[in-house]
Amino acid sequence: MKVKQNLRVRIDADAMERIWHWTDLAAGEFSCLGTVSDDLAVSNVQLHDQVNTAASTELDQDALAKFLVTHPLPERVRAWIHSHGRLGVFWSEQDEQCIEGLANDTYLVSIVVNKKREFKARIDVWQPFRLTFDDLPLEIRLPDQNLRGECERLFNAHVVEMAPLLMPDWRSGKPLQPGQQPQQSHRNGFGWPDFDDDYADWR
Ligand SMILES: [Zn+2]
């Protein structure tokens, strides 16, 4: 069964950057875990003791257990991320087993990446039905740098917004007369200039 809806996974920009650095540093595979918020945003990816080869990655179970026991919100650790190094991105038999090993009563976000900056993201749920949502979009969540106030100030200082009929005719530059419609210059009837008709001889 294929269920898509509007599911997508988001990931904090710094988390993604860490993943790419570890992907570059690893000769072969590597894996890490991250926390996931209710709106399916992955953050706080962390590297644990592990032994890797060109085609496998294995987290140290003791280190993992210790991490989960001491984690303030272990139920939020719902992202498993690993790299395939120079290989393509796909879900191997081992990956499927690993995902089953991480089965829980909510969901698991899995992301596989490689050195070519390719990736695949999926969500698995086990209850009330076993479902896999694969090939989900992965959206980078940029940090909120508190720029709203500054942007608002600059916007108000520099931008004048007029009702469409008061805008100058873009062809003549003359303000429109009352009741005059802006000239429609091209096929789609929008007000924006394009390079159809008489602007086509620019070459
Ligand atoms: Zn894999």
Side-chain angles (χ1 to χ4, degrees):
M1 178 166 67
K2 229 175 176 178
V3 186
K4 268 286 164 69
Q5 296 165 342
N6 289 323
L7 267 185
R8 47 110 175 77
V9 173
R10 295 193 295 160
I11 184 163
D12 280 359
D14 73 291
M16 200 69 237
E17 188 177 333
R18 286 185 171 88
I19 291 166
W20 291 136
H21 284 311
W22 290 327
T23 299
D24 291 342
L25 288 165
E29 299 207 359
F30 92 92
S31 51
C32 62
L33 297 172
T35 52
V36 185
S37 61
D38 287 336
D39 57 348
L40 294 177
V42 177
S43 61
N44 209 9
V45 292
Q46 286 182 291
L47 200 60
H48 304 278
D49 294 350
Q50 53 194 274
V51 178
N52 304 323
T53 70
S56 70
T57 173
E58 207 160 317
L59 291 173
D60 182 283
Q61 292 304 308
D62 291 342
L64 196 56
K66 205 167 152 193
F67 166 69
L68 290 173
V69 164
T70 55
H71 197 283
L73 291 166
E75 70 279 7
R76 288 274 177 221
V77 182
R78 288 283 182 258
W80 174 59
I81 302 115
H82 78 292
S83 164
H84 278 180
R86 296 185 193 286
L87 299 180
V89 289
F90 57 93
W91 307 109
S92 69
E93 193 54 44
Q94 265 177 325
D95 296 341
E96 298 289 349
Q97 282 170 15
C98 186
I99 287 167
E100 289 309 316
L102 293 166
N104 60 69
D105 53 7
T106 54
Y107 57 84
L108 178 76
V109 172
S110 301
I111 300 170
V112 57
V113 302
N114 68 11
K115 285 180 184 285
K116 287 203 301 206
R117 299 288 189 266
E118 294 169 328
F119 61 82
K120 246 166 118 70
R122 73 188 246 183
I123 295 174
D124 288 273
V125 294
W126 285 266
Q127 287 176 16
F129 308 107
R130 179 73 181 91
L131 285 174
T132 297
F133 305 93
D134 201 358
D135 291 317
L136 298 177
L138 185 63
E139 225 173 69
I140 310 289
R141 191 164 69 166
L142 296 172
D144 188 348
Q145 303 202 59
N146 245 335
L147 299 176
R148 173 78 196 199
E150 180 195 324
C151 288
E152 221 171 85
R153 207 170 51 249
L154 289 168
F155 190 90
N156 292 336
H158 293 286
V159 177
V160 176
E161 290 185 315
M162 299 166 85
L165 289 181
L166 297 175
M167 275 167 60
D169 182 331
W170 68 268
R171 281 179 184 241
S172 66
K174 289 182 199 136
L176 295 174
Q177 298 305 306
Q180 184 193 351
Q181 292 297 313
Q183 280 189 42
Q184 295 214 337
S185 61
H186 53 90
R187 298 177 206 122
N188 64 18
F190 245 165
W192 300 104
D194 65 10
F195 298 97
D196 292 342
D197 43 50
D198 48 340
Y199 278 78
D201 51 5
W202 58 273
R203 25 176 148 55

